[in-house]
């Protein structure tokens, strides 16, 4: 499907138009259309062939023509024209966090800055602070952002790696003579980002599998190829390593290549203490130099005297000690999830109706879902004013009646994602919050405030008795936005004291709280919940990414609010 490609191009056009200070409505039209196409559940090429482009909400005649032009010719003339009159370095400046198109345009106009180096020099020479609306703080922030941009990783999101892994496994599973196949490395450990993708397999005729691997349609470049292994590049920058190993040592090799390196170092020390040398291929008994082979990973751990340790925990964060003590947690599983406590609908910036979201959640086997649309200060996301929230509470009651008539054993909870405003107050009065079944509070504005200010805002929200959950508690967006400055210990202490629940937001580029914070929260006695923050029915499936984080944070079913039944949930919410 070319949906992403087309959306990406339209986003870029919006940025270019903005750089050239074009008409605001035109700019908004492009980004709106891009968003709609990005989340379109069907193939854009098909929609185009069937002449239905204009039925996509946000796609008017002009944009439909451009999309059609792209699908037919592979380019958009207007896009090319914009590119031609824009210094190439200028668009890249938009990736420096804190630099919007207006500022970039001004920097170009006033200081003739056309690329990153020129921007950095101007900032160092203090030429930026003298510009209108800039000042020393913004100048320093620009320098910091440039540093971050230069260091930015080439790692990819777990959710980007996932379909690639699935495609490759499915492809190779179709080959004759293949036995085991599995992903290893950081992907198997479900890290939030993945450096490269490692795949291990066993096969009767390894060369055939390697040959098929390098000839897969998605392979763009072959970096190396041997009789039992190969490395390739897919999607321009993503490296995939395949190793075919002997059946008898599959368990040992899988253990080794799952990592992490830190976990493996500890495991090897422990093996040595117990009289074994653990290598990539075998466990060697030191007394008689006997090599022991294991085709199952469990048996490798057992031979060293340990219970099986789930891949997600293999980071040397205490898992070996816990395994030795016999206190490993029984990790949460995807099937334990009973509902989703933070989703949006078309009442604010979501794209599905309340009933559609309910049906989709029910189809996933959930018992409940909480509709939490935005509050008024998030105007850009269609936040609901108080009267509209009251209307929505009534609409949800009606939906529940409808579900009851359908004989569905499913409940829609009336919620809100209330903004914690820059001054620390909540965006609705307490009486209205008290009428909701679930109140999720979160920070969207004033992200640049001091640690003291932001921590204070979060704690005052936590201390409000109507607030049940704090959503995406650190505000980070992987590779795009650092977490805001916040004293997480103080926040977690307040949450533990008031029994406020901390969210693991499952959006694949948020994953917030992250694994380390989630583990800390649990250790401090804080209850967590895992929410999709879905803006359409499909995004409900993002829950699995949050479950990954929970597992990496050692969470068990009992630590997660929405792994409990509706009855237990309601008794915790005490409303
Ligand atoms: P990544 O790709 O950066 O997200 O992280 P990993 O963990 O997938 O690392 P990668 O691809 O370099 O190597 C895969 C696994 O192989 C790694 O998790 C552990 C094992 N491994 C690689 N190099 C070493 C090493 O020098 N020592 C040990 N003990 N294990 C290693
Ligand atoms: Ca890797
Ligand atoms: Ca690798
Ligand atoms: Zn949300």
């Amino acid at each position: 499907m070319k949906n992403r490609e087309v959306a990406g191009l339209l986003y870029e056009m919006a940025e270019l138009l903005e750089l050239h200070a074009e008409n605001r409505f035109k700019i908004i039209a492009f980004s709106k259309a891009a968003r709609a196409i990005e989340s379109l559940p069907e193939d854009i090429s098909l929609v185009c062939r069937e002449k239905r482009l204009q039925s996509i909400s946000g796609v008017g005649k002009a944009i439909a023509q451009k999309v059609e032009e792209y699908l037919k010719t592979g380019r958009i003339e207007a896009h090319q024209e914009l590119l031609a009159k824009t210094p190439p370095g200028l668009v890249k400046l938009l990736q420096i966090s804190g630099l919007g198109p207006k500022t970039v345009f001004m920097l170009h106009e006033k200081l003739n800055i056309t690329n990153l180096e020129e921007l950095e020099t101007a900032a160092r020479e203090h030429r930026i602070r003298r510009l209108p609306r800039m000042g020393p703080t913004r100048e320093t922030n620009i320098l910091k952002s440039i540093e971050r941009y230069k260091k930015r990783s080439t790692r990819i999101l777990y959710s980007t790696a996932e379909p690639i892994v699935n495609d490759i496994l499915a492809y190779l599973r179709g080959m004759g003579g293949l036995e085991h196949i599995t992903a290893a490395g950081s992907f198997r450990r479900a890290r939030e980002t993945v450096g490269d993708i490692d795949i291990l397999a066993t096969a009767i005729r390894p060369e055939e599998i390697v040959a098929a691997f390098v000839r897969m349609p998605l392979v763009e470049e072959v970096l190396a190829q041997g009789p039992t292994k190969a490395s390739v590049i897919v999607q321009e920058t993503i490296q995939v390593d395949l190793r075919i190993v002997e059946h008898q040592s599959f368990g040992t090799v899988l253990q080794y290549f799952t990592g992490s390196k830190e976990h493996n170092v500890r495991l090897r020390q422990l093996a040595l203490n117990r009289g074994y040398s653990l290598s990539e291929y075998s466990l060697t008994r030191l007394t008689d130099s006997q090599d022991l082979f294991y085709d199952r990973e469990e048996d490798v751990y057992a031979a060293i005297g340990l219970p099986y340790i789930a891949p997600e925990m293999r980071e040397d964060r205490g898992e070996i000690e816990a395994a030795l003590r016999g206190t490993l947690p029984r990790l949460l599983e995807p099937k334990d999830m009973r509902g989703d406590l933070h989703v949006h609908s078309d009442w604010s910036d979501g794209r599905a109706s309340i009933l559609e979201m309910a049906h989709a959640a029910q189809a996933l086997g959930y018992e409940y879902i909480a509709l939490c649309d935005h509050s008024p200060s998030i105007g850009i996301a269609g936040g609901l004013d108080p009267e509209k929230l009251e209307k929505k509470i009534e609409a949800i009651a009606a939906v529940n009646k409808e579900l009851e008539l359908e004989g569905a054993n499913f409940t829609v909870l009336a919620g809100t994602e209330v903004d914690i405003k820059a001054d620390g107050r909540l965006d609705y009065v307490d009486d209205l919050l008290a009428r909701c079944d679930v109140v999720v509070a979160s920070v969207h504005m004033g992200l640049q405030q001091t640690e003291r200010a932001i921590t204070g805002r979060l704690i005052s929200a936590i201390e409000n008795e109507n607030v049940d959950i704090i959503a995406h508690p650190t505000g980070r967006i992987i590779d795009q936005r650092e977490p805001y400055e916040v004293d997480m210990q103080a926040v977690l202490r307040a949450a533990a004291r008031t029994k406020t629940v901390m969210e693991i937001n499952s959006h694949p580029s948020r994953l917030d709280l992250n694994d380390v914070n989630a583990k800390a929260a649990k250790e401090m006695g804080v209850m967590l919940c895992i929410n999709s923050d879905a803006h359409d029915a499909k995004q409900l499936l993002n829950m699995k990414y949050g479950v990954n984080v929970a597992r990496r944070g050692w969470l068990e079913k009992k630590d997660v609010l929405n792994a409990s039944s509706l009855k237990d949930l309601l008794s915790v919410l005490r409303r």
Side-chain angles (χ1 to χ4, degrees), residues 540-559:
L540 288 169
L541 298 172
N542 285 345
M543 179 71 81
K544 63 184 167 185
Y545 304 123
V547 172
N548 281 343
V549 174
R551 290 173 62 85
R552 290 180 55 83
W554 297 36
L555 301 194
E556 306 188 298
K557 194 174 162 186
K558 66 171 170 44
D559 303 315

Side-chain angles (χ1 to χ4, degrees), residues 110-293:
K110 306 252 182 203
L111 300 177
N112 199 23
I113 287 171
T114 60
N115 60 37
L116 198 62
E117 284 99 75
E118 289 170 9
L119 175 69
E120 189 171 1
T121 313
R124 292 206 189 289
E125 291 171 354
H126 300 314
R127 281 184 281 133
I128 290 180
R129 62 174 67 184
R130 292 197 295 269
L131 294 172
R133 297 191 323 274
M134 296 305 280
T137 318
R138 283 204 70 188
E139 192 177 70
T140 318
N141 284 339
I142 288 176
L143 279 172
K144 278 192 208 152
S145 299
I146 294 175
E147 278 316 300
R148 253 201 325 275
Y149 178 79
K150 285 184 178 164
K151 276 193 299 203
R152 85 188 177 297
S153 63
T154 50
R155 303 179 65 82
I156 55 170
L157 289 179
Y158 176 91
S159 60
T160 307
E162 187 185 35
I164 300 174
V165 169
N166 290 340
D167 280 359
I168 296 177
L169 297 195
Y171 188 92
L172 294 180
R173 276 193 186 117
M175 315 276 11
L178 188 88
E179 297 158 344
H180 297 295
I181 186 158
T182 176
S186 52
F187 181 82
R188 182 162 183 246
R189 303 199 309 281
R191 269 191 68 175
E192 61 193 33
T193 61
V194 168
D196 68 2
I197 298 172
D198 305 283
I199 294 177
L200 296 180
T202 64
I204 299 171
R205 291 172 302 277
E207 314 80 51
E208 283 178 17
I209 303 295
V210 172
F213 173 70
V214 300
R215 275 192 267 106
M216 289 185 307
L218 79 169
V219 169
E220 290 163 10
E221 194 187 336
V222 179
L223 299 175
Q225 182 178 357
T228 59
K229 59 183 184 185
S231 293
V232 300
I233 297 288
V234 303
Q235 291 182 20
E236 288 174 27
T237 55
I238 305 171
Q239 179 171 339
V240 186
D241 297 338
L242 171 72
R243 288 183 185 78
I244 315 271
V245 304
E246 279 187 51
H247 197 287
Q248 63 168 2
S249 32
F250 186 68
T252 326
V253 184
L254 178 58
Q255 195 292 313
Y256 179 87
F257 283 106
T258 296
S260 67
K261 209 162 145 179
E262 292 74 17
H263 173 88
N264 287 355
V265 167
R266 293 291 316 279
L267 200 65
R268 270 205 307 268
Q269 281 169 353
L270 188 67
L272 276 178
N273 294 342
R274 305 198 158 179
Y276 296 101
S277 146
L278 176 61
S279 79
E280 200 174 321
Y281 296 104
S282 68
L283 194 63
T284 310
R285 199 158 50 212
L286 296 173
T287 46
D288 57 1
S289 299
Q290 172 82 33
D291 280 334
L292 308 169
F293 296 100

Side-chain angles (χ1 to χ4, degrees), residues 447-455 474 483-487:
L447 304 176
Q448 304 294 337
Q449 290 178 357
T450 61
E451 174 176 318
R452 215 177 124 164
I454 295 190
T455 307
T474 77
Y484 36 69
E485 304 287 338
V486 59
D487 179 349

Side-chain angles (χ1 to χ4, degrees), residues 39-40 344 350-352 357 532-541:
S39 60
L40 191 70
H344 296 262
R351 287 170 292 269
M357 291 302 277
S532 70
D533 202 355
H535 284 64
D536 60 34
K538 211 168 90 190
Q539 289 178 359
L540 288 169
L541 298 172

